[in-house]
Amino acid sequence: MLESIIKKAKESGHPVVLMYLSKKGLVTKRMVTIEGYSEQWMQGYCHLRKSFRRFQRENILAILPASYNERKTQIQ
């Protein structure tokens, strides 16, 4: 499931919403436009940090396609 969501999001260019476990042990919610991925990493533009970031896939707790309203809110 994770793999198919990542693949579809990269192909479409639409962002995903992640629940992510940081290095500090904090759970954060991120909206990411995926640029690339491997078995261990996913990289893309993080709308929260407004920069390109790499995410360890093992630290992704949940992933969903971003809704239209979430995408619209991030752009404004």
Side-chain angles (χ1 to χ4, degrees):
M1 179 99 162
L2 175 74
E3 188 70 28
S4 66
I5 292 173
I6 291 172
K7 182 178 178 182
K8 286 178 185 177
K10 182 180 182 313
E11 290 172 356
S12 71
H14 292 155
V16 294
V17 175
L18 305 177
M19 295 304 289
Y20 187 75
L21 182 63
S22 74
K23 291 178 186 178
K24 295 179 181 179
L26 302 173
V27 176
T28 61
K29 181 179 177 182
R30 309 285 186 104
M31 184 178 299
V32 178
T33 301
I34 301 170
E35 298 289 325
Y37 60 94
S38 69
E39 286 184 29
Q40 297 173 346
W41 295 95
M42 185 183 80
Q43 60 226 16
Y45 183 78
C46 175
H47 296 267
L48 175 67
R49 302 291 183 219
K50 298 186 185 335
S51 65
F52 286 90
R53 298 289 173 109
R54 279 178 50 169
F55 300 91
Q56 288 186 328
R57 286 184 52 173
E58 67 183 19
N59 289 356
I60 297 173
L61 305 174
I63 185 170
L64 293 169
S67 71
Y68 174 77
N69 288 336
E70 287 172 314
R71 291 183 292 191
K72 185 177 173 186
T73 302
Q74 290 296 319
I75 292 170
Q76 294 178 347

